[in-house]
Amino acid sequence: QPAINLPPLILQLLAVIWSIFLLHEFGMLPWQAYGFLVFRADLFTKALSSSAPLSIYFSILGYSLMHGGFMHIIFNSLWLAAIGKATLARLNNLQFLMVLIVGSIGGAMAHMLAHPGEATSMVGLSASISALFGIFCRIPGHRGQALPLLSDRVTRFSLGFLAINLLLGLFPGVNGAGMIAWQAHLGGFFAGLLTAPFFLRAPVLKR
């Protein structure tokens, strides 16, 4: 029995985000990497209507690999280990990575809508992890298709997730002076919630 009983994919993702974080902390990360690893709402918006370095376009994914401090990456690591292991019990590795991508894009879009044209930076895996929560709450008790959006489990889970993040947004003291990108959490969560049927399909029975 291994000391750390996590799926290999989760361990590999943890290794990637911690390697990037430590390189950043010790000043060993090339400055060119930050264009990919930090999402800026204003730069990405301008890039949509004009030419820009490729790193700006891919920052809609890359920002999820960077973290802003030890507490930030520790919390996200713990959540990734917990909810990641639970969702991987139903998803394969490719589906899991696709959910993370969907959540990252959903979080970035929500951040842009909340801060249109603003020079606000965002980093962290939270939006992607929120997408995993969106998938998780629609996993049925058997290996069937995704639970309906208005089922009791999905409704209770969604309202709870929404309430927690609205609390973070409406009360700056709870939100650490506004440092938590709660809008991105919601964007990631609803991206996962709404795309769950594409990932949670009933198995085809062979005749």
Side-chain angles (χ1 to χ4, degrees):
Q1 186 75 8
I4 302 177
N5 189 19
L6 289 175
L9 180 59
I10 301 294
L11 293 175
Q12 291 161 9
L13 287 170
L14 290 172
V16 169
I17 64 173
W18 274 95
S19 296
I20 291 173
F21 175 72
L22 292 175
L23 286 173
H24 164 70
E25 285 294 304
F26 289 105
M28 300 171 63
L29 200 62
W31 65 267
Q32 297 93 333
Y34 289 95
F36 168 68
L37 294 171
V38 178
F39 183 80
R40 281 267 303 270
D42 59 333
L43 295 181
F44 191 85
T45 302
K46 291 177 182 176
L48 294 177
S49 58
S50 61
S51 61
L54 280 177
S55 60
I56 301 299
Y57 296 103
F58 283 103
S59 68
I60 199 170
L61 303 177
Y63 79 90
S64 61
L65 302 175
M66 172 69 92
H67 288 82
F70 276 100
M71 292 304 295
H72 190 197
I73 193 170
I74 288 172
F75 274 114
N76 275 353
S77 296
L78 293 173
W79 279 120
L80 177 63
I83 195 65
K85 183 176 180 180
T87 51
L88 264 177
R90 179 63 194 270
L91 305 179
N92 61 41
N93 286 354
L94 179 58
Q95 289 174 321
F96 186 86
L97 292 174
M98 289 176 64
V99 172
L100 294 182
I101 289 172
V102 166
S104 181
I105 295 173
M109 293 296 99
H111 182 74
M112 286 177 58
L113 289 173
H115 305 280
E118 296 180 18
T120 55
S121 301
M122 181 175 67
V123 295
L125 196 59
S126 302
S128 293
I129 293 172
S130 297
L132 293 176
F133 275 103
I135 294 288
F136 176 76
C137 77
R138 295 194 69 178
I139 295 178
H142 51 86
R143 296 194 65 83
Q145 60 188 7
L147 292 173
L149 275 175
L150 297 180
S151 64
D152 288 343
R153 171 186 164 91
V154 176
T155 302
R156 288 197 301 268
F157 202 105
S158 300
L159 289 176
F161 194 92
L162 182 63
I164 290 171
N165 281 278
L166 287 178
L167 181 67
L168 293 175
L170 295 175
F171 297 94
V174 179
N175 190 2
M179 295 300 291
I180 298 176
W182 61 276
Q183 300 99 330
H185 294 182
L186 294 178
F189 176 77
F190 285 108
L193 190 76
L194 296 176
T195 58
F198 294 100
F199 301 106
L200 303 173
R201 297 177 180 271
V204 177
L205 299 177
K206 295 182 179 180
R207 295 183 179 180

